[in-house]
Amino acid sequence: MDPFAWLALGLAAFAVVGAALPLLPGGALSVAAVALYWWSTGYADPSLPVVVALVAVGLLTMAVDYFGGAIAARAGGASLATTAAAVVVGVVLLFVAGPVGFVFGLAATVFAVEFAQHADAEAGLRVALYSTVGVLASTVAQVLLTGSVLVALALVVAF
């Protein structure tokens, strides 16, 4: 097998890992893997419709990555200020305590800001729960999407 094919598959596998970890662009890595393989074959394999489909899945993954958690937070009733504060605290805690710090920081910040604004613990917990579940569901969706690109690319390379 061509070294570029191995590199593209490795990049696609790293995309799945990147989808599971905050701040690693799984969708963009999937698109790069497809583009690398397609380029390495002289744009002959896979066919253009397959490339378009795989790139579309990569772009969808990027959209889920960027907007999934915020959409869930807003659905739960979080304000834009609450969502922004939660993301900042989550990212800072990501560097301190890893992914667990990110999730905990997000949930705690959403609860604290919503409680401070409305003095309603039940509503604060509900919004924090929506936000946390939304971020986790977004991560699961990203892993499934990047995993599907990896499997499809592996099948293209193998056959």
Side-chain angles (χ1 to χ4, degrees):
M1 192 163 45
D2 179 14
F4 284 111
W6 284 110
L7 185 59
L9 288 173
L11 192 57
F14 187 60
V16 176
V17 174
L21 298 175
L23 301 179
L24 289 178
L29 292 170
S30 288
V31 170
V34 170
L36 174 65
Y37 182 72
W38 195 44
W39 168 81
S40 75
T41 65
Y43 307 106
D45 188 39
S47 66
L48 183 59
V50 172
V51 170
V52 169
L54 293 175
V55 168
V57 171
L59 294 174
L60 174 62
T61 304
M62 290 167 45
V64 169
D65 184 18
Y66 294 126
F67 302 115
I71 289 171
R74 296 287 293 152
S79 67
L80 288 175
T82 299
T83 304
V87 168
V88 169
V89 170
V91 168
V92 169
L93 286 179
L94 171 68
F95 293 111
V96 174
V100 173
F102 177 81
V103 172
F104 176 76
L106 179 95
T109 303
V110 168
F111 174 76
V113 172
E114 287 297 314
F115 183 74
Q117 289 177 345
H118 306 292
D120 183 354
E122 185 178 320
L125 283 173
R126 186 188 78 250
V127 174
L129 181 64
Y130 266 83
S131 300
T132 305
V133 169
V135 166
L136 295 175
S138 168
T139 300
V140 169
Q142 291 173 64
V143 168
L144 292 173
L145 290 167
T146 56
S148 69
V149 171
L150 171 61
V151 169
L153 191 59
L155 290 172
V156 166
V157 169
F159 301 106

